[in-house]
Amino acid sequence: MPQPNGSNRSGSNHNDAARQEVNVPMAGRPGGPGFGGRGGPKQKPKNFRATLFRLWGYLSGERKQLSMVFGFILIDSAIMLLGPYLIGVAVNAMVGGPGAVDFKLLHIVLIALVAAYMADASLSFLQGWMMAGISQRIVSRLRRTLFEKLQRLPLVYFDTRRHGELMSRLSNDIDNVSTSVSQTAAQLMSGSIALLGSLIMMIVLSPLLTLASLITVPLVYLLAKTITKRTSALFKNQQAQLGRLNGQIEETITGFQVVKAFNYEQTSIADFRKDNDELCKVSTNAQIWSGFMMPLLSVINNVGFAAVAITGGILAVKGMITVGVIASFLSYSRQFVRPMMDLANTYNVLQSGIAGAERVFEVLDEQEEIEDKPNAVELVHPKGEVVFENVQFGYRSDVQILKGISFRAEAGSSTALVGPTGAGKTTVINMLSRFYDVTGGRILIDGIDIRDYTRDSLRRTFGIVLQDTYLFSGTVKENLKYGKPDASDDEIQRAARMAGADGFIRRLPQQYDQPLTENGGNLSQGQRQLLAIARAILAEPSILILDEATSSIDTRTELRIQEAMLQMMEGRTSFIIAHRLSTIQNADTILVIDKGTIAEQGSHNDLMDKEGIYYGMHRNLTV
């Protein structure tokens, strides 16, 4: 759909009453509350196992690379299992007494050990290199999936959530997933293989020493269970609090002029300090508890090492094993405990990634815009006849915003909507463009229910200029071409001249190639509005919607572009929302919207003759 203002916040002009009734936060309000409280309630991951398996599903496209990594891990584990055995052989070669050292065997063993450790280093590098690529491709796919999902969500989703918190899910949460995948996937595979291999070699060398070393297993299990139980909730809270902090920052920066105008700096600082301190507190607790893991595991490892050494010494004195076997076994026992330590620590790291993944999947599971009907048709060459038949709408089933709106707009006619703030004017327009679907009645374009058209073809029919103009980072030309990507330079300049924007564009240092900052921050509000109007003209829509399109333009400029606006509206069905009644006096039909109903309708002269609501509004403005 040509969206002349380019805003993904097309619903940002919903009437204020509707917002208040559904407790919808208004973007840009400094320190304003988020929907349902800042960031929502703190909670543990809802389903760790389900989230883990779902995340694992994103590895399906990396099976070939994962198989190679697994092969490297198998070879590497076999080499590392060979190391302690060779150490035992070397020790036995040196303990035969004076002059009994088997130097030939010792040299062979030392060369084999050097080769094994060099091979281990090479294979470890290959594993890390391949896992880095795998994790980044997975995260890239997950980030792309999340961004595409956001494009398919209805506007009400964005109207009920803080934008900074959503941005946090695209950045911080997915970064945590990336870190977890790159650090844990290979460790889980290598740790499991090393654990099993070391246990088998220990049993082969000495079943009795194996029993002594297994004292560490229940200790590691209890430690991991205790710590991860606490850290799972803390990491979840940490990500949620980070999202709340990002939301507060985004709101404050977006509404910085309001912050300055109302001397809200100290309150904003206090709000930030509160959220930042809470994040610091939660993050500190999470890091402290996760930091307990490695020191306590080292203690457990030393306990196991001491148990093996004592038991091995007793068995060696009795002649039941050799010193070389003890040396090998001590190395194997360390290799047995180390994977348990790595696996426990990996699970601890995994908590942060799972917390982030769960927040991403929460968005992916949101209800999307209703799909087109299977037999939906393309809206081709629309005439522009619009009919509302008893249209009803409410954000909640118990709160109706529109209450039985019915009217007809003939093709090529102009219809103006006036009324008090919050009456439902913009909601009528949002129903027409299917930003929201009606909850009762129906809307027809050219005699067909708009729900029977494909959504894309329907929205391509409209050109919209909203009160809150949005411009993207890029050049003036790129922003204008948002309405018609294949437009030529001549078409762009002609549209700008019609909108009265060509003059100020020519005065810019780089004219149409002038770069704009985010939302056109280096232009005035009136200039941004002119660009939005030019963008609408360039889109050449069949149905034109002007929602307070000239509200930010001075009276002199407004008068200068009135003729261009009338020319643009000629032959097109037009809907105009305006508080300046002088701008809509020539409309074919004026609808007076009050409390979600059409209180009056007719031409300007008809409504003035009735001396009703419209008459009173007009008189109040002219007195």
Side-chain angles (χ1 to χ4, degrees), residues 429-470:
I429 299 305
N430 288 333
M431 297 294 102
L432 178 60
S433 51
R434 281 199 75 186
F435 289 150
Y436 296 93
D437 276 320
V438 300
T439 55
R442 62 177 185 161
I443 302 172
L444 309 176
I445 292 182
D446 295 346
I448 299 177
D449 193 318
I450 61 173
R451 291 169 292 189
D452 293 331
Y453 291 120
T454 61
R455 185 177 278 105
D456 286 345
S457 67
L458 173 69
R459 290 181 178 168
R460 283 196 301 268
T461 303
F462 298 100
I464 304 177
V465 181
L466 299 177
Q467 180 178 5
D468 295 329
T469 301
Y470 194 92

mmCIF file of all heavy atoms in Angstrom, residues 429-470:
data_model
loop_
_atom_site.group_PDB
_atom_site.id
_atom_site.type_symbol
_atom_site.label_atom_id
_atom_site.label_comp_id
_atom_site.label_asym_id
_atom_site.label_seq_id
_atom_site.Cartn_x
_atom_site.Cartn_y
_atom_site.Cartn_z
ATOM 1 N N ILE A 429 -11.325 5.839 9.535
ATOM 2 C CA ILE A 429 -10.332 5.712 8.462
ATOM 3 C C ILE A 429 -9.549 4.414 8.603
ATOM 4 O O ILE A 429 -9.242 3.725 7.628
ATOM 5 C CB ILE A 429 -9.372 6.918 8.482
ATOM 6 C CG1 ILE A 429 -10.147 8.224 8.262
ATOM 7 C CG2 ILE A 429 -8.287 6.756 7.457
ATOM 8 C CD1 ILE A 429 -10.974 8.233 6.998
ATOM 9 N N ASN A 430 -9.214 4.051 9.839
ATOM 10 C CA ASN A 430 -8.466 2.811 10.067
ATOM 11 C C ASN A 430 -9.282 1.588 9.681
ATOM 12 O O ASN A 430 -8.733 0.562 9.263
ATOM 13 C CB ASN A 430 -8.031 2.715 11.529
ATOM 14 C CG ASN A 430 -6.916 3.684 11.860
ATOM 15 O OD1 ASN A 430 -6.136 4.064 10.992
ATOM 16 N ND2 ASN A 430 -6.844 4.107 13.112
ATOM 17 N N MET A 431 -10.600 1.674 9.847
ATOM 18 C CA MET A 431 -11.460 0.580 9.403
ATOM 19 C C MET A 431 -11.426 0.451 7.881
ATOM 20 O O MET A 431 -11.375 -0.650 7.334
ATOM 21 C CB MET A 431 -12.910 0.831 9.836
ATOM 22 C CG MET A 431 -13.172 0.881 11.331
ATOM 23 S SD MET A 431 -12.885 -0.706 12.141
ATOM 24 C CE MET A 431 -11.266 -0.387 12.867
ATOM 25 N N LEU A 432 -11.435 1.603 7.194
ATOM 26 C CA LEU A 432 -11.472 1.603 5.739
ATOM 27 C C LEU A 432 -10.209 0.966 5.151
ATOM 28 O O LEU A 432 -10.284 0.201 4.186
ATOM 29 C CB LEU A 432 -11.628 3.040 5.233
ATOM 30 C CG LEU A 432 -11.651 3.258 3.719
ATOM 31 C CD1 LEU A 432 -12.819 2.502 3.098
ATOM 32 C CD2 LEU A 432 -11.750 4.749 3.409
ATOM 33 N N SER A 433 -9.055 1.255 5.730
ATOM 34 C CA SER A 433 -7.798 0.723 5.217
ATOM 35 C C SER A 433 -7.431 -0.627 5.839
ATOM 36 O O SER A 433 -6.351 -1.140 5.587
ATOM 37 C CB SER A 433 -6.667 1.738 5.462
ATOM 38 O OG SER A 433 -6.658 2.149 6.814
ATOM 39 N N ARG A 434 -8.329 -1.178 6.650
ATOM 40 C CA ARG A 434 -8.136 -2.489 7.296
ATOM 41 C C ARG A 434 -6.900 -2.525 8.186
ATOM 42 O O ARG A 434 -6.250 -3.552 8.330
ATOM 43 C CB ARG A 434 -8.077 -3.627 6.276
ATOM 44 C CG ARG A 434 -9.423 -4.082 5.754
ATOM 45 C CD ARG A 434 -9.354 -5.466 5.142
ATOM 46 N NE ARG A 434 -9.260 -6.511 6.154
ATOM 47 C CZ ARG A 434 -9.064 -7.798 5.876
ATOM 48 N NH1 ARG A 434 -8.922 -8.192 4.623
ATOM 49 N NH2 ARG A 434 -9.000 -8.699 6.848
ATOM 50 N N PHE A 435 -6.573 -1.382 8.786
ATOM 51 C CA PHE A 435 -5.583 -1.434 9.856
ATOM 52 C C PHE A 435 -6.184 -2.213 11.020
ATOM 53 O O PHE A 435 -5.476 -2.851 11.795
ATOM 54 C CB PHE A 435 -5.189 -0.020 10.303
ATOM 55 C CG PHE A 435 -4.348 0.706 9.282
ATOM 56 C CD1 PHE A 435 -4.418 2.087 9.176
ATOM 57 C CD2 PHE A 435 -3.501 0.015 8.434
ATOM 58 C CE1 PHE A 435 -3.644 2.763 8.246
ATOM 59 C CE2 PHE A 435 -2.721 0.685 7.497
ATOM 60 C CZ PHE A 435 -2.793 2.063 7.409
ATOM 61 N N TYR A 436 -7.501 -2.116 11.153
ATOM 62 C CA TYR A 436 -8.276 -2.930 12.085
ATOM 63 C C TYR A 436 -9.471 -3.467 11.308
ATOM 64 O O TYR A 436 -9.933 -2.849 10.355
ATOM 65 C CB TYR A 436 -8.774 -2.111 13.286
ATOM 66 C CG TYR A 436 -7.666 -1.561 14.151
ATOM 67 C CD1 TYR A 436 -7.151 -0.285 13.922
ATOM 68 C CD2 TYR A 436 -7.133 -2.314 15.186
ATOM 69 C CE1 TYR A 436 -6.125 0.214 14.693
ATOM 70 C CE2 TYR A 436 -6.107 -1.821 15.966
ATOM 71 C CZ TYR A 436 -5.609 -0.555 15.725
ATOM 72 O OH TYR A 436 -4.591 -0.068 16.486
ATOM 73 N N ASP A 437 -9.960 -4.630 11.713
ATOM 74 C CA ASP A 437 -11.146 -5.199 11.080
ATOM 75 C C ASP A 437 -12.376 -4.866 11.904
ATOM 76 O O ASP A 437 -12.326 -4.829 13.150
ATOM 77 C CB ASP A 437 -11.013 -6.718 10.938
ATOM 78 C CG ASP A 437 -10.240 -7.106 9.684
ATOM 79 O OD1 ASP A 437 -10.461 -6.461 8.644
ATOM 80 O OD2 ASP A 437 -9.416 -8.037 9.760
ATOM 81 N N VAL A 438 -13.467 -4.639 11.216
ATOM 82 C CA VAL A 438 -14.712 -4.307 11.902
ATOM 83 C C VAL A 438 -15.135 -5.470 12.790
ATOM 84 O O VAL A 438 -14.849 -6.637 12.498
ATOM 85 C CB VAL A 438 -15.828 -3.989 10.884
ATOM 86 C CG1 VAL A 438 -15.444 -2.810 10.023
ATOM 87 C CG2 VAL A 438 -16.141 -5.212 10.020
ATOM 88 N N THR A 439 -15.816 -5.149 13.874
ATOM 89 C CA THR A 439 -16.383 -6.193 14.737
ATOM 90 C C THR A 439 -17.873 -6.379 14.482
ATOM 91 O O THR A 439 -18.488 -7.270 15.048
ATOM 92 C CB THR A 439 -16.144 -5.837 16.218
ATOM 93 O OG1 THR A 439 -16.680 -4.533 16.483
ATOM 94 C CG2 THR A 439 -14.660 -5.835 16.540
ATOM 95 N N GLY A 440 -18.414 -5.530 13.624
ATOM 96 C CA GLY A 440 -19.817 -5.641 13.236
ATOM 97 C C GLY A 440 -20.075 -4.821 11.991
ATOM 98 O O GLY A 440 -19.403 -3.821 11.734
ATOM 99 N N GLY A 441 -21.042 -5.252 11.175
ATOM 100 C CA GLY A 441 -21.328 -4.562 9.932
ATOM 101 C C GLY A 441 -20.287 -4.881 8.879
ATOM 102 O O GLY A 441 -19.505 -5.832 8.994
ATOM 103 N N ARG A 442 -20.227 -4.065 7.832
ATOM 104 C CA ARG A 442 -19.255 -4.281 6.772
ATOM 105 C C ARG A 442 -18.966 -2.992 6.030
ATOM 106 O O ARG A 442 -19.732 -2.019 6.101
ATOM 107 C CB ARG A 442 -19.744 -5.356 5.803
ATOM 108 C CG ARG A 442 -21.045 -5.004 5.065
ATOM 109 C CD ARG A 442 -21.412 -6.095 4.066
ATOM 110 N NE ARG A 442 -22.587 -5.730 3.275
ATOM 111 C CZ ARG A 442 -22.899 -6.305 2.120
ATOM 112 N NH1 ARG A 442 -22.147 -7.276 1.627
ATOM 113 N NH2 ARG A 442 -23.983 -5.914 1.460
ATOM 114 N N ILE A 443 -17.828 -3.003 5.324
ATOM 115 C CA ILE A 443 -17.402 -1.863 4.511
ATOM 116 C C ILE A 443 -17.240 -2.361 3.085
ATOM 117 O O ILE A 443 -16.590 -3.390 2.845
ATOM 118 C CB ILE A 443 -16.082 -1.274 5.029
ATOM 119 C CG1 ILE A 443 -16.223 -0.833 6.493
ATOM 120 C CG2 ILE A 443 -15.636 -0.101 4.165
ATOM 121 C CD1 ILE A 443 -14.909 -0.409 7.124
ATOM 122 N N LEU A 444 -17.818 -1.641 2.139
ATOM 123 C CA LEU A 444 -17.775 -2.040 0.737
ATOM 124 C C LEU A 444 -16.981 -1.023 -0.075
ATOM 125 O O LEU A 444 -17.100 0.189 0.139
ATOM 126 C CB LEU A 444 -19.183 -2.146 0.152
ATOM 127 C CG LEU A 444 -20.209 -2.986 0.919
ATOM 128 C CD1 LEU A 444 -21.565 -2.897 0.232
ATOM 129 C CD2 LEU A 444 -19.762 -4.436 1.010
ATOM 130 N N ILE A 445 -16.165 -1.514 -0.985
ATOM 131 C CA ILE A 445 -15.531 -0.677 -2.002
ATOM 132 C C ILE A 445 -15.927 -1.235 -3.357
ATOM 133 O O ILE A 445 -15.719 -2.424 -3.632
ATOM 134 C CB ILE A 445 -13.998 -0.649 -1.853
ATOM 135 C CG1 ILE A 445 -13.595 0.097 -0.570
ATOM 136 C CG2 ILE A 445 -13.343 0.020 -3.060
ATOM 137 C CD1 ILE A 445 -12.101 0.218 -0.364
ATOM 138 N N ASP A 446 -16.540 -0.407 -4.133
ATOM 139 C CA ASP A 446 -17.065 -0.829 -5.440
ATOM 140 C C ASP A 446 -18.005 -2.023 -5.305
ATOM 141 O O ASP A 446 -17.996 -2.948 -6.132
ATOM 142 C CB ASP A 446 -15.921 -1.166 -6.408
ATOM 143 C CG ASP A 446 -15.076 0.056 -6.756
ATOM 144 O OD1 ASP A 446 -15.531 1.184 -6.463
ATOM 145 O OD2 ASP A 446 -13.983 -0.109 -7.303
ATOM 146 N N GLY A 447 -18.786 -2.020 -4.228
ATOM 147 C CA GLY A 447 -19.819 -3.033 -4.045
ATOM 148 C C GLY A 447 -19.350 -4.345 -3.464
ATOM 149 O O GLY A 447 -20.148 -5.281 -3.319
ATOM 150 N N ILE A 448 -18.068 -4.467 -3.105
ATOM 151 C CA ILE A 448 -17.526 -5.714 -2.554
ATOM 152 C C ILE A 448 -16.954 -5.443 -1.168
ATOM 153 O O ILE A 448 -16.264 -4.440 -0.944
ATOM 154 C CB ILE A 448 -16.438 -6.301 -3.480
ATOM 155 C CG1 ILE A 448 -17.034 -6.634 -4.853
ATOM 156 C CG2 ILE A 448 -15.808 -7.543 -2.871
ATOM 157 C CD1 ILE A 448 -16.018 -7.148 -5.861
ATOM 158 N N ASP A 449 -17.240 -6.357 -0.242
ATOM 159 C CA ASP A 449 -16.714 -6.252 1.122
ATOM 160 C C ASP A 449 -15.191 -6.210 1.065
ATOM 161 O O ASP A 449 -14.555 -7.025 0.379
ATOM 162 C CB ASP A 449 -17.184 -7.464 1.948
ATOM 163 C CG ASP A 449 -16.949 -7.279 3.442
ATOM 164 O OD1 ASP A 449 -15.869 -6.776 3.820
ATOM 165 O OD2 ASP A 449 -17.839 -7.655 4.231
ATOM 166 N N ILE A 450 -14.607 -5.253 1.766
ATOM 167 C CA ILE A 450 -13.146 -5.103 1.697
ATOM 168 C C ILE A 450 -12.430 -6.334 2.232
ATOM 169 O O ILE A 450 -11.259 -6.570 1.896
ATOM 170 C CB ILE A 450 -12.678 -3.838 2.456
ATOM 171 C CG1 ILE A 450 -13.045 -3.921 3.947
ATOM 172 C CG2 ILE A 450 -13.237 -2.588 1.825
ATOM 173 C CD1 ILE A 450 -12.459 -2.767 4.764
ATOM 174 N N ARG A 451 -13.086 -7.161 3.045
ATOM 175 C CA ARG A 451 -12.467 -8.387 3.531
ATOM 176 C C ARG A 451 -12.376 -9.455 2.447
ATOM 177 O O ARG A 451 -11.687 -10.468 2.622
ATOM 178 C CB ARG A 451 -13.233 -8.919 4.743
ATOM 179 C CG ARG A 451 -13.089 -8.057 5.992
ATOM 180 C CD ARG A 451 -14.053 -8.431 7.091
ATOM 181 N NE ARG A 451 -15.439 -8.127 6.717
ATOM 182 C CZ ARG A 451 -16.464 -8.203 7.563
ATOM 183 N NH1 ARG A 451 -16.263 -8.569 8.813
ATOM 184 N NH2 ARG A 451 -17.678 -7.910 7.160
ATOM 185 N N ASP A 452 -13.068 -9.224 1.327
ATOM 186 C CA ASP A 452 -12.997 -10.154 0.201
ATOM 187 C C ASP A 452 -11.885 -9.782 -0.774
ATOM 188 O O ASP A 452 -11.639 -10.508 -1.737
ATOM 189 C CB ASP A 452 -14.338 -10.192 -0.549
ATOM 190 C CG ASP A 452 -15.453 -10.804 0.304
ATOM 191 O OD1 ASP A 452 -15.131 -11.645 1.164
ATOM 192 O OD2 ASP A 452 -16.623 -10.425 0.118
ATOM 193 N N TYR A 453 -11.230 -8.644 -0.533
ATOM 194 C CA TYR A 453 -10.073 -8.260 -1.340
ATOM 195 C C TYR A 453 -8.798 -8.735 -0.647
ATOM 196 O O TYR A 453 -8.754 -8.912 0.578
ATOM 197 C CB TYR A 453 -9.986 -6.736 -1.495
ATOM 198 C CG TYR A 453 -11.061 -6.109 -2.346
ATOM 199 C CD1 TYR A 453 -11.924 -5.151 -1.805
ATOM 200 C CD2 TYR A 453 -11.204 -6.433 -3.689
ATOM 201 C CE1 TYR A 453 -12.908 -4.552 -2.574
ATOM 202 C CE2 TYR A 453 -12.194 -5.834 -4.473
ATOM 203 C CZ TYR A 453 -13.040 -4.903 -3.909
ATOM 204 O OH TYR A 453 -14.010 -4.310 -4.670
ATOM 205 N N THR A 454 -7.747 -8.944 -1.432
ATOM 206 C CA THR A 454 -6.446 -9.192 -0.807
ATOM 207 C C THR A 454 -6.006 -7.914 -0.109
ATOM 208 O O THR A 454 -6.258 -6.804 -0.594
ATOM 209 C CB THR A 454 -5.397 -9.602 -1.851
ATOM 210 O OG1 THR A 454 -5.226 -8.537 -2.793
ATOM 211 C CG2 THR A 454 -5.806 -10.881 -2.576
ATOM 212 N N ARG A 455 -5.367 -8.075 1.025
ATOM 213 C CA ARG A 455 -5.003 -6.909 1.822
ATOM 214 C C ARG A 455 -4.000 -6.024 1.070
ATOM 215 O O ARG A 455 -4.067 -4.798 1.126
ATOM 216 C CB ARG A 455 -4.423 -7.352 3.166
ATOM 217 C CG ARG A 455 -4.130 -6.201 4.113
ATOM 218 C CD ARG A 455 -3.627 -6.675 5.448
ATOM 219 N NE ARG A 455 -4.723 -7.083 6.328
ATOM 220 C CZ ARG A 455 -5.036 -8.324 6.606
ATOM 221 N NH1 ARG A 455 -4.354 -9.310 6.055
ATOM 222 N NH2 ARG A 455 -6.034 -8.621 7.431
ATOM 223 N N ASP A 456 -3.060 -6.642 0.360
ATOM 224 C CA ASP A 456 -2.057 -5.856 -0.361
ATOM 225 C C ASP A 456 -2.707 -4.978 -1.432
ATOM 226 O O ASP A 456 -2.392 -3.785 -1.544
ATOM 227 C CB ASP A 456 -1.025 -6.785 -1.006
ATOM 228 C CG ASP A 456 -0.072 -7.381 0.014
ATOM 229 O OD1 ASP A 456 -0.022 -6.863 1.140
ATOM 230 O OD2 ASP A 456 0.617 -8.356 -0.322
ATOM 231 N N SER A 457 -3.595 -5.576 -2.235
ATOM 232 C CA SER A 457 -4.222 -4.789 -3.305
ATOM 233 C C SER A 457 -5.136 -3.710 -2.730
ATOM 234 O O SER A 457 -5.256 -2.622 -3.298
ATOM 235 C CB SER A 457 -5.008 -5.710 -4.236
ATOM 236 O OG SER A 457 -6.134 -6.295 -3.574
ATOM 237 N N LEU A 458 -5.759 -4.003 -1.588
ATOM 238 C CA LEU A 458 -6.618 -3.007 -0.951
ATOM 239 C C LEU A 458 -5.800 -1.799 -0.514
ATOM 240 O O LEU A 458 -6.161 -0.642 -0.783
ATOM 241 C CB LEU A 458 -7.336 -3.626 0.251
ATOM 242 C CG LEU A 458 -8.151 -2.653 1.114
ATOM 243 C CD1 LEU A 458 -9.364 -2.151 0.343
ATOM 244 C CD2 LEU A 458 -8.580 -3.316 2.425
ATOM 245 N N ARG A 459 -4.688 -2.047 0.150
ATOM 246 C CA ARG A 459 -3.908 -0.936 0.688
ATOM 247 C C ARG A 459 -3.159 -0.182 -0.399
ATOM 248 O O ARG A 459 -2.825 0.998 -0.213
ATOM 249 C CB ARG A 459 -2.952 -1.459 1.754
ATOM 250 C CG ARG A 459 -3.713 -1.890 3.002
ATOM 251 C CD ARG A 459 -2.822 -2.389 4.101
ATOM 252 N NE ARG A 459 -3.614 -2.743 5.280
ATOM 253 C CZ ARG A 459 -3.140 -3.422 6.318
ATOM 254 N NH1 ARG A 459 -1.884 -3.832 6.327
ATOM 255 N NH2 ARG A 459 -3.924 -3.701 7.345
ATOM 256 N N ARG A 460 -2.885 -0.832 -1.522
ATOM 257 C CA ARG A 460 -2.288 -0.095 -2.637
ATOM 258 C C ARG A 460 -3.255 0.925 -3.220
ATOM 259 O O ARG A 460 -2.856 1.837 -3.934
ATOM 260 C CB ARG A 460 -1.833 -1.071 -3.732
ATOM 261 C CG ARG A 460 -0.546 -1.797 -3.434
ATOM 262 C CD ARG A 460 0.037 -2.420 -4.693
ATOM 263 N NE ARG A 460 -0.876 -3.377 -5.313
ATOM 264 C CZ ARG A 460 -0.875 -4.682 -5.058
ATOM 265 N NH1 ARG A 460 -0.027 -5.181 -4.167
ATOM 266 N NH2 ARG A 460 -1.725 -5.494 -5.661
ATOM 267 N N THR A 461 -4.525 0.763 -2.906
ATOM 268 C CA THR A 461 -5.547 1.682 -3.414
ATOM 269 C C THR A 461 -5.490 3.030 -2.702
ATOM 270 O O THR A 461 -5.917 4.043 -3.248
ATOM 271 C CB THR A 461 -6.951 1.052 -3.221
ATOM 272 O OG1 THR A 461 -6.976 -0.210 -3.878
ATOM 273 C CG2 THR A 461 -8.042 1.937 -3.777
ATOM 274 N N PHE A 462 -4.949 3.048 -1.484
ATOM 275 C CA PHE A 462 -4.999 4.252 -0.654
ATOM 276 C C PHE A 462 -3.686 5.019 -0.685
ATOM 277 O O PHE A 462 -2.601 4.443 -0.771
ATOM 278 C CB PHE A 462 -5.301 3.884 0.807
ATOM 279 C CG PHE A 462 -6.633 3.222 1.008
ATOM 280 C CD1 PHE A 462 -6.722 1.857 1.149
ATOM 281 C CD2 PHE A 462 -7.795 3.971 1.031
ATOM 282 C CE1 PHE A 462 -7.952 1.238 1.324
ATOM 283 C CE2 PHE A 462 -9.027 3.368 1.203
ATOM 284 C CZ PHE A 462 -9.104 1.988 1.348
ATOM 285 N N GLY A 463 -3.828 6.322 -0.591
ATOM 286 C CA GLY A 463 -2.718 7.201 -0.271
ATOM 287 C C GLY A 463 -3.078 7.911 1.020
ATOM 288 O O GLY A 463 -4.181 8.468 1.130
ATOM 289 N N ILE A 464 -2.185 7.883 1.998
ATOM 290 C CA ILE A 464 -2.532 8.398 3.321
ATOM 291 C C ILE A 464 -1.507 9.430 3.758
ATOM 292 O O ILE A 464 -0.296 9.195 3.674
ATOM 293 C CB ILE A 464 -2.589 7.251 4.363
ATOM 294 C CG1 ILE A 464 -3.576 6.167 3.909
ATOM 295 C CG2 ILE A 464 -2.990 7.791 5.731
ATOM 296 C CD1 ILE A 464 -3.636 4.975 4.853
ATOM 297 N N VAL A 465 -1.989 10.549 4.228
ATOM 298 C CA VAL A 465 -1.147 11.546 4.873
ATOM 299 C C VAL A 465 -1.676 11.719 6.283
ATOM 300 O O VAL A 465 -2.808 12.159 6.485
ATOM 301 C CB VAL A 465 -1.177 12.901 4.129
ATOM 302 C CG1 VAL A 465 -0.263 13.900 4.837
ATOM 303 C CG2 VAL A 465 -0.755 12.723 2.683
ATOM 304 N N LEU A 466 -0.866 11.337 7.253
ATOM 305 C CA LEU A 466 -1.288 11.396 8.647
ATOM 306 C C LEU A 466 -0.799 12.672 9.318
ATOM 307 O O LEU A 466 0.100 13.362 8.824
ATOM 308 C CB LEU A 466 -0.763 10.184 9.414
ATOM 309 C CG LEU A 466 -1.239 8.810 8.927
ATOM 310 C CD1 LEU A 466 -0.587 7.715 9.740
ATOM 311 C CD2 LEU A 466 -2.749 8.708 9.004
ATOM 312 N N GLN A 467 -1.379 12.953 10.446
ATOM 313 C CA GLN A 467 -0.985 14.139 11.207
ATOM 314 C C GLN A 467 0.446 13.994 11.706
ATOM 315 O O GLN A 467 1.227 14.942 11.675
ATOM 316 C CB GLN A 467 -1.933 14.335 12.399
ATOM 317 C CG GLN A 467 -1.589 15.554 13.241
ATOM 318 C CD GLN A 467 -2.584 15.733 14.384
ATOM 319 O OE1 GLN A 467 -3.455 14.895 14.581
ATOM 320 N NE2 GLN A 467 -2.461 16.813 15.113
ATOM 321 N N ASP A 468 0.801 12.796 12.165
ATOM 322 C CA ASP A 468 2.160 12.538 12.646
ATOM 323 C C ASP A 468 2.980 11.996 11.484
ATOM 324 O O ASP A 468 2.948 10.805 11.169
ATOM 325 C CB ASP A 468 2.149 11.530 13.801
ATOM 326 C CG ASP A 468 1.426 12.084 15.023
ATOM 327 O OD1 ASP A 468 1.473 13.311 15.204
ATOM 328 O OD2 ASP A 468 0.830 11.295 15.766
ATOM 329 N N THR A 469 3.706 12.897 10.824
ATOM 330 C CA THR A 469 4.496 12.510 9.662
ATOM 331 C C THR A 469 5.737 11.748 10.106
ATOM 332 O O THR A 469 6.384 12.106 11.085
ATOM 333 C CB THR A 469 4.923 13.763 8.880
ATOM 334 O OG1 THR A 469 3.758 14.460 8.471
ATOM 335 C CG2 THR A 469 5.744 13.389 7.662
ATOM 336 N N TYR A 470 6.075 10.688 9.359
ATOM 337 C CA TYR A 470 7.301 9.943 9.664
ATOM 338 C C TYR A 470 8.157 9.870 8.409
ATOM 339 O O TYR A 470 7.689 9.507 7.332
ATOM 340 C CB TYR A 470 7.006 8.532 10.156
ATOM 341 C CG TYR A 470 8.213 7.882 10.788
ATOM 342 C CD1 TYR A 470 8.431 7.979 12.156
ATOM 343 C CD2 TYR A 470 9.159 7.220 10.018
ATOM 344 C CE1 TYR A 470 9.562 7.427 12.737
ATOM 345 C CE2 TYR A 470 10.292 6.667 10.586
ATOM 346 C CZ TYR A 470 10.478 6.772 11.952
ATOM 347 O OH TYR A 470 11.603 6.227 12.524
#
